[in-house]
Amino acid sequence: MFWIPIDRSLHLSLIRQVYEQIRMRVLRGEIQAGERLPSSRELASSLEVSRNVVIEAYEQLLAEGYIVGQQGSGTYVAEGAYLDQEQEEEFSSFFKRSHLVEEKTGEIIDFRSGIPALDMFPRKIWGQIAKEVCIEVPHAIFGYGHPEGRAELRHVLSRYLKRTRGVHCHPDQIVITSGATQALSLVAHLLLSSEDEVIIEDPITHDIQTIFSSRGSFLYPVPVDEFGMKTDLIPPDKKPGLIFVTPSHQFPLGGTLSIQRRIQLIQFARKANSYIVEDDYDSEFRYQGTPVSSLQGLDPERVIYIGTFSKILSPALRLGYLILPPSLTERCKDLKWFTDLHTPSLEQLTLARFIDEGHLERHVRKMKKQYKARRDCVKTCLKKEFADSVNVLGDSTGLHLVAEFKGVDFSEQQQMEAIQQKIKIYPVEFHAIEKGNHKNKIILGYGNLSREEIEEGIRRLKCTLT
Amino acid sequence: MFWIPIDRSLHLSLIRQVYEQIRMRVLRGEIQAGERLPSSRELASSLEVSRNVVIEAYEQLLAEGYIVGQQGSGTYVAEGAYLDQEQEEEFSSFFKRSHLVEEKTGEIIDFRSGIPALDMFPRKIWGQIAKEVCIEVPHAIFGYGHPEGRAELRHVLSRYLKRTRGVHCHPDQIVITSGATQALSLVAHLLLSSEDEVIIEDPITHDIQTIFSSRGSFLYPVPVDEFGMKTDLIPPDKKPGLIFVTPSHQFPLGGTLSIQRRIQLIQFARKANSYIVEDDYDSEFRYQGTPVSSLQGLDPERVIYIGTFSKILSPALRLGYLILPPSLTERCKDLKWFTDLHTPSLEQLTLARFIDEGHLERHVRKMKKQYKARRDCVKTCLKKEFADSVNVLGDSTGLHLVAEFKGVDFSEQQQMEAIQQKIKIYPVEFHAIEKGNHKNKIILGYGNLSREEIEEGIRRLKCTLT
């Protein structure tokens, strides 16, 4: 007789258990095409379940084609419902490298750049607003949105950017993205074809190089100094697909693009009929004077501006935005639609209210004081430990600075030794396109490090280098 | 004398006003290179502002290169800081078609498919959990995450899918995506090169066709009937980049792929060494029997499963996922990283807790009753208004059904007339690859329509067609 083990302690319904067991036997060929199944009454009584359980399980199997027949005339296993089991792999063995391990960095002091102070995220206000938004918004918000993002956020954002960043834009020029990375990826798809050239600062964030290269584009590196990209080194006859710069705070070296170079760059772009992509990732935290005005404000027809809330709030939110010349907005919206439709609506509305109620500017002011103190601490510690053999670059802004050491070569060996001293350091050379010019420089991110961690970290750096 | 209009009622600081005004004049060439600016003392007194305001504004201009000189020796406009204004366009005039208009659909009854009941989103519970998550999680959550998404969600999800969908996967095979659209877009990038072929059901969601075509792939349409894709029409010598199916509830026609065809499809994929992509967008709402088991469960090495929370919760959340064979997960994570790093962390954790506490299954049960009543109402109304001249297809599952009318051609003209009757209807023909076979069918989405709206909507449909 047909026996199906029923387990009433399982989280699976009885119907599902009967269904699954018969299904698996058919699939595995344990009961074969044409074989007769017991009647629902027989099976119900032998399993000690209600007859309805068996009837429903049979109906399901019938609907899916595992069995054929009608009540009364008998139920049979259908043809073609047997599948031989190819390569049954034990999945769990495949995944030995658990990612959970990575998160336990424990005592290591990590100078990774671009991480804000994670313990100072405004949890209470954000959580409260998120809840209010979820409860109060009109029903329609829970439906599909538009690819450019919520109008409420784009309006608030355009006013905020005008006020704080010298960005001139109509809310309809803004496309809300899932972080600056998506903004970059969209721009790459929008402007680059295979074999196009990208004029780009060197060194520059390694991930950004990858995003452009993976489109099949070639990078044309232009060196930077303390005033950003050395624009006079751009060959005048180039016709790049786009020009990529971080003018407010060059990553990683930290220069600010001078007005003369900004104008040169715009004039070059106009002549070459190219777009400039301005990545403005952390310029809210400027410790000397007010934030530098955007390049976008100089020529909104030529410059695509990329902004992010990763540094001023949290990278976990995945909220960024693009500001595009009107001539590009429609294509960008189409592209965003076919990429992921739009960025989550409730988060956008939470951010809109967070900005509108003044919390963002208060938070930025508060954090700026914190970060300035942390930066000063890094500088003091570097001087204390290394005196004249260290030179600090690019410390006017942001969450990192660059330290240049006389006669040091930050090789992989050096990094391994740092790990043994329980610090993580990041060589500038990793981000260099033309290799060999930045071997004695490291990036020291301080956004998420306390005074104590900074002091201890620089002490350990000293031990690593001596 | 140099005059700068200062407006104390503005939201801009005085420093920013002085800075901006001088900056704009230099840029526009109104004050030219070499021209001397008034001393900070002079300017402060003429503007009636504190001298520090002027000093700070000058320092900023100096830092950005607009002016040169040192305190004491005079301040001059720098060379090369003038930019001629090319094409000053009035942006606001560019954007006449405001998207805000679209949202006011007012009295129109919209039979758009795939929209859940927006007024029944579990706002209170979701909002409460979102707040708790934001306040309670460890600090590290506010930093950068991993591309595959939070482990908490992937674990809860794999258990949920095993229980409800017959999906067999290890949490490490899951990649959390920004909705099913991103999942599709990632799969297209992962598996398709230019000129690859995609074997695909016909008709099938138009947006999905676009995502594959935009990769430069060719669609090879295979007709569907009430048992889904007619797999015996696949030429055995094809070597497609991927095979795309909606086996639980074909979109739009609503068939369920029979087990024989499932097995045929898997055997074809094995032979062709291709992957099958299973889009399972709404099968939780099955009104006959329990949900159909996934295709993925039959061969986890060959089938990539795409799921979404858009229909069972809300599309505004933008939460979906991919389940991949272990051999593809690493490449998929890389691709996700360079697309948008990862999906927002707090939302993922909110969802994980929502599922873990049993709210999701409760919500699905509750909604299933609602949607079944709505579906029954559509069927009753169709019969009442159209009697034997209508035939209903694909109503076993989901949030839509297809109505086929004798002797009707749903042309654009017909759609316009529907709009005049204040209903929106969606011809199947729009989603057809081979045109001409589905002219008499429309998709009627009922997820977000009340009983009254359905009754009134079908009455209006009657007026449109007679």
Side-chain angles (χ1 to χ4, degrees):
Chain A
M1 186 47 216
F2 203 74
W3 172 245
I4 292 175
I6 294 289
D7 183 349
R8 283 166 206 275
S9 70
L10 280 181
H11 205 71
L12 275 176
S13 74
L14 296 179
I15 298 170
R16 193 81 193 165
Q17 292 190 42
V18 173
Y19 159 82
E20 272 291 358
Q21 296 272 350
I22 298 180
R23 181 174 162 272
M24 288 316 294
R25 289 176 192 199
V26 174
L27 273 173
R28 291 190 189 130
E30 292 167 19
I31 39 178
Q32 293 181 355
E35 216 167 297
R36 192 177 193 277
L37 291 188
S39 75
S40 55
R41 194 183 306 269
E42 283 171 332
L43 187 57
S45 105
S46 80
L47 300 181
E48 292 177 356
V49 298
S50 115
R51 195 179 155 204
N52 274 337
V53 166
V54 181
I55 290 176
E56 284 208 35
Y58 276 18
E59 273 175 9
Q60 179 77 12
L61 290 162
L62 207 70
E64 295 183 33
Y66 288 92
I67 59 177
V68 288
Q70 281 157 336
Q71 253 181 317
S73 71
T75 310
Y76 299 88
V77 176
E79 292 288 339
Y82 159 68
L83 181 72
D84 50 313
Q85 300 301 304
E86 226 182 22
Q87 62 219 104
E88 274 229 20
E89 201 176 319
E90 190 50 64
F91 286 137
S92 44
S93 73
F94 194 91
F95 294 102
K96 277 175 188 154
R97 308 166 289 153
S98 172
H99 288 287
L100 292 172
V101 181
E102 279 182 43
E103 292 184 12
K104 287 189 202 160
T105 41
E107 330 150 61
I108 286 190
I109 295 175
D110 190 345
F111 283 101
R112 179 170 170 188
S113 61
I115 315 282
L118 302 181
D119 56 343
M120 298 183 77
F121 181 83
R123 289 169 180 250
K124 271 201 181 159
I125 299 171
W126 188 271
Q128 183 59 36
I129 295 180
K131 183 179 170 186
E132 285 166 14
V133 161
C134 185
I135 289 170
E136 294 167 13
V137 292
H139 296 321
I141 302 285
F142 291 95
Y144 287 97
H146 293 294
E148 67 272 23
R150 296 297 316 170
E152 298 88 333
L153 176 57
R154 289 180 292 110
H155 278 85
V156 167
L157 189 56
S158 78
R159 289 199 297 275
Y160 168 79
L161 290 171
K162 167 92 184 161
R163 212 156 59 226
T164 62
R165 302 287 307 111
V167 166
H168 299 262
C169 73
H170 187 277
D172 288 348
Q173 284 174 265
I174 300 178
V175 173
I176 305 297
T177 60
S178 302
T181 300
Q182 187 183 49
L184 260 170
S185 161
L186 289 174
V187 164
H189 277 77
L190 212 54
L191 299 182
L192 297 180
S193 308
S194 188
E195 317 228 332
D196 269 355
E197 242 178 356
V198 173
I199 292 186
I200 192 165
E201 295 164 348
D202 180 20
I204 189 72
T205 324
H206 192 266
D207 275 4
I208 291 175
Q209 297 173 36
T210 307
I211 289 172
F212 292 139
S213 313
S214 67
R215 289 288 298 159
S217 299
F218 299 114
L219 303 181
Y220 185 90
V222 179
V224 302
D225 62 16
E226 70 266 41
F227 301 110
M229 181 186 266
K230 295 167 93 169
T231 47
D232 46 353
L233 297 181
I234 303 175
D237 57 333
K238 288 271 173 210
K239 302 276 178 213
L242 64 86
I243 303 149
F244 182 84
V245 283
T246 52
S248 301
H249 187 222
Q250 205 278 327
F251 189 90
L253 293 185
T256 301
L257 197 66
S258 70
I259 181 65
Q260 287 75 12
R261 291 185 181 179
R262 284 168 193 245
I263 286 172
Q264 266 187 16
L265 203 59
I266 288 172
Q267 280 167 341
F268 169 78
R270 286 178 180 177
K271 202 170 130 273
N273 198 20
S274 299
Y275 288 100
I276 300 169
V277 178
E278 171 176 27
D279 185 1
D280 192 7
Y281 60 99
D282 72 357
S283 70
E284 286 86 351
F285 303 122
R286 187 169 170 88
Y287 312 119
Q288 280 120 31
T290 53
V292 176
S293 287
S294 71
L295 191 57
Q296 190 271 354
L298 293 178
D299 193 345
E301 285 292 330
R302 280 285 153 213
V303 182
I304 298 169
Y305 179 93
I306 294 177
T308 176
F309 293 93
S310 292
K311 319 299 186 229
I312 54 178
L313 277 170
S314 153
L317 302 175
R318 308 309 309 126
L319 284 167
Y321 51 94
L322 273 169
I323 299 170
L324 298 138
S327 52
L328 288 176
T329 51
E330 289 305 314
R331 273 181 57 219
C332 184
K333 286 186 222 171
D334 279 356
L335 198 58
K336 169 81 177 160
W337 184 255
F338 292 111
T339 302
D340 63 2
L341 305 191
H342 59 82
T343 294
S345 308
L346 297 178
E347 260 201 324
Q348 290 187 56
L349 292 173
T350 303
L351 177 60
R353 200 178 281 188
F354 188 84
I355 299 175
D356 201 41
E357 290 177 358
H359 302 299
L360 183 65
E361 275 158 281
R362 259 195 299 282
H363 184 65
V364 168
R365 274 199 301 277
K366 175 178 159 192
M367 296 315 295
K368 201 164 140 175
K369 276 186 209 145
Q370 283 287 336
Y371 294 140
K372 185 174 187 301
R374 291 176 187 198
R375 176 197 71 155
D376 293 345
C377 179
V378 175
K379 289 172 72 174
T380 310
C381 293
L382 283 171
K383 277 292 157 218
K384 187 175 150 224
E385 300 291 347
F386 298 98
D388 287 344
S389 56
V390 70
N391 184 25
V392 169
L393 308 171
D395 64 321
S396 68
T397 307
L399 306 178
H400 76 272
L401 53 76
V402 165
E404 177 179 34
F405 294 84
K406 281 189 190 128
V408 178
D409 179 351
F410 288 97
S411 57
E412 256 178 60
Q413 172 72 15
Q414 201 63 266
Q415 277 181 77
M416 298 301 292
E417 276 171 38
I419 292 281
Q420 276 173 1
Q421 294 291 337
K422 294 196 180 301
I423 52 167
K424 269 182 126 170
I425 53 172
Y426 297 85
V428 170
E429 192 68 11
F430 175 69
H431 299 285
I433 303 174
E434 299 255 2
K435 297 292 180 190
N437 300 320
H438 303 283
K439 290 188 164 178
N440 63 344
K441 304 185 189 94
I442 51 169
I443 306 164
L444 294 172
Y446 48 78
N448 193 33
L449 295 179
S450 67
R451 165 174 286 274
E452 295 69 33
E453 286 169 318
I454 291 169
E455 286 169 354
E456 178 59 25
I458 302 291
R459 255 196 302 274
R460 293 182 191 170
L461 178 64
K462 177 74 186 256
C463 298
T464 308
L465 299 185
T466 48
Chain B
M1 186 44 217
F2 202 75
W3 171 246
I4 291 174
I6 293 288
D7 182 349
R8 283 168 206 271
S9 70
L10 281 182
H11 205 73
L12 274 176
S13 75
L14 295 179
I15 297 169
R16 193 79 191 165
Q17 291 189 43
V18 172
Y19 159 83
E20 272 290 359
Q21 296 272 349
I22 298 178
R23 181 175 163 275
M24 287 317 295
R25 288 176 194 199
V26 173
L27 273 173
R28 293 191 187 126
E30 291 167 19
I31 43 178
Q32 294 183 354
E35 217 168 294
R36 190 175 196 279
L37 292 186
S39 75
S40 56
R41 193 183 306 272
E42 281 171 333
L43 187 57
S45 104
S46 79
L47 299 182
E48 293 179 353
V49 297
S50 114
R51 196 180 154 203
N52 274 337
V53 167
V54 179
I55 289 175
E56 284 210 34
Y58 276 18
E59 274 176 6
Q60 179 77 12
L61 290 162
L62 209 71
E64 295 184 34
Y66 288 92
I67 60 177
V68 287
Q70 281 158 334
Q71 253 180 320
S73 71
T75 311
Y76 299 87
V77 176
E79 292 288 339
Y82 158 68
L83 180 71
D84 51 316
Q85 298 303 301
E86 226 183 23
Q87 67 221 93
E88 272 232 18
E89 201 177 318
E90 190 50 63
F91 287 135
S92 44
S93 73
F94 194 90
F95 295 101
K96 276 176 190 156
R97 306 166 291 149
S98 171
H99 289 286
L100 292 173
V101 180
E102 278 180 46
E103 292 184 14
K104 287 187 199 158
T105 42
E107 327 150 62
I108 285 188
I109 294 173
D110 191 344
F111 283 100
R112 181 170 169 189
S113 60
I115 316 282
L118 303 180
D119 56 343
M120 298 184 77
F121 181 83
R123 291 168 179 248
K124 272 200 180 161
I125 299 171
W126 188 271
Q128 184 59 36
I129 295 179
K131 183 179 169 183
E132 285 167 14
V133 161
C134 184
I135 289 171
E136 293 167 14
V137 293
H139 296 321
I141 301 285
F142 291 96
Y144 286 97
H146 294 296
E148 66 272 24
R150 298 294 316 168
E152 298 89 332
L153 176 57
R154 289 180 292 108
H155 278 85
V156 167
L157 189 56
S158 77
R159 288 198 298 274
Y160 169 78
L161 289 172
K162 169 91 184 159
R163 211 156 57 227
T164 65
R165 304 285 309 107
V167 166
H168 299 262
C169 72
H170 187 277
D172 288 348
Q173 283 174 266
I174 300 179
V175 174
I176 305 295
T177 60
S178 302
T181 300
Q182 186 183 51
L184 262 169
S185 161
L186 290 173
V187 164
H189 277 78
L190 212 54
L191 299 182
L192 298 179
S193 307
S194 188
E195 318 224 334
D196 268 356
E197 242 177 355
V198 173
I199 291 185
I200 191 166
E201 295 164 350
D202 180 21
I204 189 72
T205 324
H206 190 266
D207 276 4
I208 291 174
Q209 296 174 37
T210 307
I211 289 171
F212 292 140
S213 312
S214 68
R215 289 290 299 161
S217 298
F218 299 113
L219 304 181
Y220 185 89
V222 179
V224 301
D225 62 17
E226 70 265 41
F227 300 111
M229 182 186 266
K230 295 165 93 168
T231 45
D232 45 355
L233 297 181
I234 303 174
D237 57 331
K238 288 272 172 208
K239 300 276 178 214
L242 65 87
I243 303 149
F244 182 83
V245 282
T246 51
S248 301
H249 187 222
Q250 204 277 329
F251 190 91
L253 293 186
T256 301
L257 197 67
S258 69
I259 181 65
Q260 287 74 10
R261 291 187 181 178
R262 284 170 195 243
I263 286 171
Q264 267 188 15
L265 204 61
I266 288 171
Q267 280 166 342
F268 169 78
R270 286 179 179 175
K271 203 172 131 269
N273 198 18
S274 300
Y275 289 100
I276 300 169
V277 178
E278 170 177 29
D279 185 2
D280 192 6
Y281 60 99
D282 71 359
S283 70
E284 286 87 350
F285 302 123
R286 187 168 171 88
Y287 312 119
Q288 280 119 33
T290 54
V292 175
S293 285
S294 71
L295 191 58
Q296 191 270 354
L298 294 179
D299 192 346
E301 285 292 331
R302 280 284 154 211
V303 182
I304 298 170
Y305 179 94
I306 295 179
T308 175
F309 292 93
S310 292
K311 319 300 186 227
I312 54 176
L313 277 169
S314 151
L317 301 175
R318 310 306 310 124
L319 284 168
Y321 51 93
L322 271 170
I323 298 169
L324 299 139
S327 54
L328 288 177
T329 52
E330 288 306 313
R331 276 181 56 218
C332 184
K333 287 187 218 170
D334 279 356
L335 197 58
K336 169 80 178 163
W337 183 255
F338 291 111
T339 301
D340 62 3
L341 304 191
H342 59 83
T343 294
S345 309
L346 297 177
E347 260 202 325
Q348 289 186 58
L349 293 173
T350 303
L351 177 60
R353 200 176 282 189
F354 188 84
I355 299 175
D356 201 38
E357 290 177 357
H359 302 298
L360 183 65
E361 273 157 284
R362 258 196 299 282
H363 184 65
V364 167
R365 273 200 300 277
K366 175 178 158 191
M367 298 313 296
K368 200 163 141 176
K369 276 185 209 144
Q370 282 288 335
Y371 294 140
K372 183 172 188 304
R374 290 176 189 201
R375 177 197 71 153
D376 292 344
C377 179
V378 175
K379 288 172 74 174
T380 309
C381 293
L382 282 172
K383 278 293 160 214
K384 185 175 151 225
E385 301 290 346
F386 297 99
D388 286 344
S389 55
V390 70
N391 184 26
V392 169
L393 307 170
D395 63 322
S396 69
T397 307
L399 307 177
H400 76 274
L401 53 77
V402 165
E404 179 179 32
F405 293 85
K406 281 190 190 128
V408 178
D409 179 352
F410 288 98
S411 58
E412 257 178 58
Q413 174 72 14
Q414 201 63 267
Q415 276 183 78
M416 297 303 291
E417 275 170 39
I419 293 282
Q420 275 172 1
Q421 294 288 341
K422 295 198 178 301
I423 52 169
K424 270 182 128 173
I425 53 172
Y426 298 85
V428 170
E429 191 66 14
F430 175 70
H431 300 285
I433 303 175
E434 300 254 3
K435 295 294 180 187
N437 301 320
H438 303 283
K439 288 187 167 180
N440 63 342
K441 303 186 190 94
I442 53 171
I443 306 162
L444 295 172
Y446 49 76
N448 192 32
L449 295 179
S450 67
R451 167 174 283 275
E452 294 70 33
E453 286 170 317
I454 291 170
E455 285 170 356
E456 178 58 25
I458 301 292
R459 254 196 302 275
R460 292 182 192 171
L461 178 63
K462 175 75 186 252
C463 298
T464 307
L465 298 186
T466 47

